[in-house]
Amino acid sequence: MKFRQTVRIAGIVTAGLLGVAATAAPASAATVNWKKLDPNIGMFCEQPISHVTYPGVVFQGCMVVNANDDAQIVMVVINQGPKAVNIGGWTSSQFGSNVTCADSVLNPNIEVACFGPTVHVPEDGRTYNNSVHLTVNGSTKIAPAPSVSN
């Protein structure tokens, strides 16, 4: 696997960590709940960005990959603002790691993640672009997630 800003990785995450989420595309995807983020999960992430409408809410698109060329998109969110916000959203990947992230309340100083399903990246030489879409109090912002190819 090649990442825009990363070299090939192998065996960083066990299959158990990768099997965290649901199915298909956002329009028909199951909804998964936000989980507290394990700092040892071994993700590769794009730069975090502030949500334009709520700058205290920072989010980023990430990717977890294993040695079998299976990958999943992850949206990571932290609320650095002074009060709770309502969040939701979805992951969007060209290789199928799509999921709807449940509507939830995110309290200040809490970091959570929404995990797309683990999917095998096709061995076709294509580069698959990915993104995460965060909705905060009804306003949606998009951020890139790492691209992947095999």
Side-chain angles (χ1 to χ4, degrees):
M1 304 242 165
K2 294 185 294 185
F3 293 89
R4 261 193 311 218
Q5 299 173 345
T6 312
V7 296
R8 179 174 174 82
I9 62 171
I12 289 181
V13 177
T14 65
L17 285 174
L18 289 172
V20 179
T23 56
S28 63
T31 299
V32 299
N33 291 320
W34 297 88
K35 299 182 180 304
K36 288 201 174 192
L37 187 62
D38 178 352
N40 301 317
I41 198 167
M43 294 187 296
F44 292 90
C45 298
E46 293 290 340
Q47 291 293 334
I49 62 172
S50 292
H51 194 283
V52 172
T53 310
Y54 300 91
V57 176
V58 177
F59 72 114
Q60 65 191 133
C62 300
M63 171 101 52
V64 179
V65 184
N66 70 14
N68 297 322
D69 296 330
D70 301 323
Q72 71 185 140
I73 303 300
V74 182
M75 178 165 36
V76 178
V77 182
I78 187 167
N79 182 0
Q80 300 171 334
K83 57 186 175 180
V85 294
N86 294 312
I87 62 170
W90 64 94
T91 64
S92 179
S93 99
Q94 292 181 329
F95 67 93
S97 183
N98 305 314
V99 74
T100 300
C101 306
D103 291 336
S104 183
V105 174
L106 182 60
N107 289 312
N109 302 309
I110 301 292
E111 184 175 39
V112 294
C114 176
F115 292 84
T118 301
V119 178
H120 184 73
V121 178
E123 297 179 23
D124 57 9
R126 288 184 51 205
T127 296
Y128 294 93
N129 296 312
N130 310 292
S131 60
V132 294
H133 306 248
L134 177 66
T135 301
V136 179
N137 293 346
S139 175
T140 301
K141 172 85 173 158
I142 302 170
S147 295
V148 65
S149 61
N150 190 3

